[in-house]
Amino acid sequence: MKNVKNLFRHWEFFLVVFLILEFVVFGAANPKFLRPASIMTSLVNYISVCIIALFVTLVMITGGIDIQAASIIGLTSIVEGYLWSDLGVNIWVAVASALVVAVLCGALSGFFIAYCGVQPMVVTLGGSFLYSGLALLVSGLSATPAYQGISGFPSKDAVGAFHGFRFLGKGVILGVPTQIIVYLVLIALCAWLLHRSKYGEKLYLIGVNAQAAEYSGINTRAVIMSTYVLSAFSAAIAGTLLTANVDSAKYNLGAGYTLAIITAVVLGGTLNTGGKGSILGTVLASLIICILRYGLPLCFGVSTQNLDLPIGVILVLVVLGREIAGQRMISALFKRVKRK
Amino acid sequence: MKSILKARWISSFVFLLLLFLITGIVDPTFLTYSSIISCFNNATMYTLLAIGIAFVIMTGEIDVSIGSTLGLAAAMTGLIAKAGGGIPRMIVTVLLIGALIGFVNGLGVAWFGVPSLIFTLGTNGVVRGLIYIVSDGRTVENFTGGGLGSFSNQVLFAEITVYYAITLLVFIAAHLIVTRTKKGKYFIAVGDNPNGANLVGISVFRTKLVAYVLCGAFAGIAGFVFASKYGQVMISAGNGYEMTAIAACVLGGISLSGGLGNMVGAALGAVIMASISRLLVYIGLPSTYDNTITGVMLIVIVVIDALAQRRSIEMARRKRLLSRTARQTEEGASKA
């Protein structure tokens, strides 16, 4: 009985119930919904948000926020495209350089946040302007017009199978798209970082009380900066996958993902004041949103343009419900203390 | 304390002057009355948004739903114009829409205690969806026949458009409210120290609620301006404007943690944000530099601000320490 009660206290439990409910309702409404291939495709379409949300969770657990990651998607994409198509660099070198660029971007913002003490929201807001601007400038260097996007990445053979770079975005291993495998690996990595390593403990401690963390000998500044580097790195991975998937390097890929990423993280139960959250929660929340985006148009004919409304409603209801339930729990606790 | 507040908006004023001067040096044709005034005229929408969100930011919260509030208000304006409604009806509608959205935001944030970023993210999605519903998924257009479009370019006096003149009046009113009236000072007080404000009898809930309602109403009016200026409202209208408005406030020296800043800063920041792309044209850079320069500017300003603040705190602490040790040695000397 006690275990059951504990289960109810976990936010992830509600997320699982919600996810199962989604499958039941959508599956009942339209049996086509349950085809694994379509579900995987829908996940692939949303993978950028899912991947970045994982690492933004780390940022938010320290009490920060990252609204620049979406602009780094476009920057990585165009850097890869420019290096490969205009400078003739080997595609893998181009990918590696783009990852380095992204890490530098994350390090720059992280430095200002951790070492200069500027508010994370402000710096990453500036970063989102700066990096999307840089992406546009890089795009201007290229011979391909900015609106067109650089395409023709290697390679697709005569049979239609994908090799090399495009395999990252379109390949299938044992029936599972490569992107999803990358996502699973990143989930494992993130879960290990946050829940099993010393690093994760430091993140939580900083989120709960940065001063206490500093006094207990943690180099809080370096740790905080590292979270922004990690989230920028994840954005670069997402950008690479996206480029390989759509075969187009464009400066504005991923524009408008910012709010979706934050939504996934907070729906997953991470507090934006820091100190609380889990990778499982973020993954479940990402899946919930993803399935919703896939199921609503398919089963209930909701226009794909109008998916903001249901997701917004759910976010509002969920956070309100959580807040009310939390308050009730606290007042119940007080009553119990009084009785004693 | 007062001098710090002053310095915060003065730095953005100096910055704006510098921007104009540099542009003027590169291209002297810029330094005419009409091209400078047109920078201000073009900033109408951002100024309204920035003033509105400044109320919320001063109380220490944030509102990322103003972009879609602007979009919804603009779409409603267009629909009313299409149905043959007059301008008063549009204005009342956009004010009501904005205030209602603000009220919901305020309830969620101040009453239920949901973190403001999360809650307004949710309402942002909901309102964006409402735009889709009211406009039936199509771009609202062809509605500027009834005087609405021509109204947007009407010059009142000295090349100042009617809209900017009204915005200026609203701005002055907002500034006076925040700096001169008792209730207006509550915004800063609540942002500076909510518990302290509560202890001296200021209702934190009511103050935040009012801030959100004002913010929504301002975004609504900005939506009206949007519709009349562009003459067509897409479903994505106003997307990303919330970030520009927040950036304007930050440039104007309003601290995102609340309790610092004033309306002059917000208005100046809005002018800076709105003019950058225009100034780039004069300097001879393509508009592709727009975001890069905005980003660099934003980061440089906030980093300098943070370092200066830290320095002043450090100096104050040293002074305190020095005076304390001085007193102790004095006491020691008198005892001996």
Side-chain angles (χ1 to χ4, degrees):
Chain A
M1 193 59 212
K2 210 175 178 187
N3 282 340
V4 176
K5 246 187 183 167
N6 274 340
L7 202 60
F8 276 111
R9 269 196 209 140
H10 281 292
W11 179 240
E12 288 82 359
F13 173 76
F14 290 100
L15 291 178
V16 170
V17 170
F18 198 94
L19 192 59
I20 293 172
L21 255 175
E22 272 186 357
F23 272 97
V24 171
V25 171
F26 287 142
N30 189 345
K32 273 188 197 161
F33 168 85
L34 290 172
R35 280 193 312 216
S38 327
I39 291 179
M40 278 197 275
T41 316
S42 77
L43 183 56
V44 165
N45 288 337
Y46 210 59
I47 206 93
S48 304
V49 174
C50 298
I51 288 178
I52 298 172
L54 285 178
F55 288 85
V56 172
T57 309
L58 303 189
V59 173
M60 283 177 74
I61 282 175
T62 66
I65 193 163
D66 188 343
I67 53 176
Q68 68 185 10
S71 66
I72 293 180
I73 299 180
L75 182 61
T76 347
S77 174
I78 195 70
V79 165
E80 281 163 7
Y82 172 68
L83 288 179
W84 175 77
S85 122
D86 289 80
L87 299 186
V89 175
N90 177 294
I91 185 69
W92 297 112
V93 178
V95 170
S97 328
L99 288 179
V100 171
V101 168
V103 163
L104 286 179
C105 291
L108 184 73
S109 299
F111 175 79
F112 288 139
I113 292 163
Y115 289 89
C116 300
V118 193
Q119 289 154 335
M121 175 107 182
V122 181
V123 175
T124 52
L125 175 65
S128 72
F129 280 109
L130 175 60
Y131 305 139
S132 63
L134 285 180
L136 191 57
L137 291 188
V138 174
S139 181
L141 294 176
S142 163
T144 319
Y147 60 87
Q148 214 167 32
I150 299 161
S151 59
F153 284 98
S155 60
K156 188 178 175 185
D157 60 20
V159 202
F162 296 97
H163 301 288
F165 180 66
R166 294 291 315 278
F167 187 77
L168 282 180
K170 283 278 189 188
V172 178
I173 301 171
L174 300 175
V176 183
T178 337
Q179 298 208 39
I180 293 183
I181 292 177
V182 174
Y183 182 44
L184 290 176
V185 171
L186 288 176
I187 291 174
L189 175 72
C190 242
W192 177 77
L193 265 182
L194 189 60
H195 301 302
R196 288 274 175 273
S197 74
K198 272 254 168 68
Y199 179 74
E201 280 172 20
K202 289 179 186 170
L203 291 183
Y204 280 110
L205 188 52
I206 290 172
V208 173
N209 189 339
Q211 202 121 42
E214 180 80 44
Y215 289 151
S216 65
I218 297 171
N219 187 349
T220 50
R221 293 176 167 186
V223 173
I224 288 177
M225 183 169 152
S226 71
T227 57
Y228 292 91
V229 172
L230 280 176
S231 84
F233 187 72
S234 72
I237 294 177
T240 307
L241 292 180
L242 194 58
T243 311
N245 186 32
V246 298
D247 188 22
S248 168
K250 256 175 130 175
Y251 68 97
N252 61 356
L253 281 185
Y257 280 178
T258 307
L259 296 188
I261 294 166
I262 306 287
T263 308
V265 178
V266 297
L267 191 59
T270 304
L271 282 183
N272 68 336
T273 44
K276 197 163 176 261
S278 73
I279 290 301
L280 181 64
T282 301
V283 171
L284 287 172
S286 309
L287 289 180
I288 285 175
I289 298 173
C290 171
I291 296 295
L292 211 60
R293 295 183 69 91
Y294 155 64
L296 281 176
L298 181 72
C299 305
F300 297 105
V302 177
S303 159
T304 46
Q305 275 182 300
N306 193 20
L307 290 171
D308 290 336
L309 180 65
I311 292 168
V313 167
I314 285 177
L315 183 63
V316 166
L317 289 182
V318 160
V319 289
L320 274 184
R322 195 163 71 196
E323 216 61 47
I324 293 167
Q327 281 167 3
R328 199 172 279 170
M329 231 174 247
I330 290 168
S331 59
L333 200 74
F334 269 113
K335 263 180 205 159
R336 211 175 296 162
V337 171
K338 260 185 197 167
R339 232 175 273 157
K340 274 179 185 171
Chain B
M1 190 64 208
K2 224 170 184 183
S3 63
I4 294 176
L5 278 184
K6 252 183 191 162
R8 288 182 79 88
W9 73 262
I10 276 186
S11 66
S12 58
F13 182 64
V14 170
F15 195 76
L16 184 63
L17 278 185
L18 270 179
L19 273 183
F20 283 166
L21 270 180
I22 293 170
T23 316
I25 290 167
V26 176
D27 184 358
T29 57
F30 171 73
L31 286 180
T32 58
Y33 178 75
S34 63
S35 52
I36 288 177
I37 279 299
S38 75
C39 281
F40 283 86
N41 282 335
N42 276 319
T44 305
M45 216 159 32
Y46 287 145
T47 310
L48 287 169
L49 284 177
I51 292 174
I53 202 171
F55 283 109
V56 172
I57 296 179
M58 278 175 188
T59 65
E61 303 290 351
I62 196 106
D63 187 347
V64 292
S65 69
I66 54 171
S68 47
T69 306
L70 178 143
L72 182 62
M76 286 307 290
T77 307
L79 290 173
I80 292 173
K82 259 186 157 174
I87 287 177
R89 203 177 130 203
M90 297 172 197
I91 289 182
V92 170
T93 314
V94 296
L95 276 177
L96 280 180
I97 289 175
L100 188 68
I101 296 170
F103 186 74
V104 173
N105 281 334
L107 273 189
V109 173
W111 183 255
F112 291 103
V114 182
S116 53
L117 176 69
I118 302 174
F119 195 83
T120 55
L121 249 177
T123 45
N124 180 55
V126 174
V127 174
R128 179 69 58 202
L130 289 179
I131 301 174
Y132 184 89
I133 291 174
V134 297
S135 64
D136 227 2
R138 283 189 292 270
T139 302
V140 184
E141 50 193 350
N142 300 328
F143 56 77
T144 41
L148 187 60
S150 59
F151 194 55
S152 76
N153 293 321
Q154 222 161 55
V155 171
L156 192 63
F157 62 90
E159 299 193 34
I160 296 175
T161 57
V162 176
Y163 284 167
Y164 198 68
I166 295 173
T167 307
L168 268 181
L169 286 181
V170 171
F171 153 68
I172 292 169
H175 180 67
L176 290 181
I177 286 173
V178 171
T179 52
R180 293 292 145 95
T181 66
K182 195 173 151 197
K183 300 239 162 179
K185 285 180 179 166
Y186 285 2
F187 293 114
I188 293 276
V190 165
D192 191 33
N193 184 350
N195 294 330
N198 211 358
L199 282 180
V200 297
I202 299 172
S203 165
V204 175
F205 164 65
R206 211 176 297 157
T207 310
K208 285 187 177 171
L209 189 66
V210 170
Y212 272 104
V213 168
L214 283 173
C215 178
F218 272 93
I221 290 291
F224 172 79
V225 176
F226 182 97
S228 116
K229 187 175 171 187
Y230 293 114
Q232 62 165 346
V233 184
M234 286 180 287
I235 295 171
S236 61
N239 207 351
Y241 278 40
E242 63 275 356
M243 293 303 166
T244 313
I246 294 170
C249 286
V250 172
L251 282 178
I254 298 178
S255 162
L256 279 193
S257 46
L260 263 185
N262 64 14
M263 290 303 168
V264 183
L268 286 174
V271 175
I272 295 176
M273 289 302 289
S275 328
I276 289 211
S277 54
R278 207 178 170 74
L279 298 182
L280 284 179
V281 176
Y282 278 99
I283 290 179
L285 288 172
S287 62
T288 45
Y289 280 83
D290 199 350
N291 276 350
T292 314
I293 301 225
T294 310
V296 170
M297 204 170 67
L298 204 60
I299 292 180
V300 166
I301 286 189
V302 293
V303 167
I304 290 176
D305 187 49
L307 292 180
Q309 223 168 20
R310 186 192 284 182
R311 203 179 134 81
S312 73
I313 290 172
E314 204 60 39
M315 296 279 269
R317 186 185 292 162
R318 197 167 300 162
K319 225 179 192 172
R320 247 190 344 253
L321 208 68
L322 273 176
S323 66
R324 198 183 295 163
T325 48
R327 206 171 52 216
Q328 271 170 359
T329 46
E330 241 170 54
E331 278 171 10
S334 65
K335 258 183 195 171

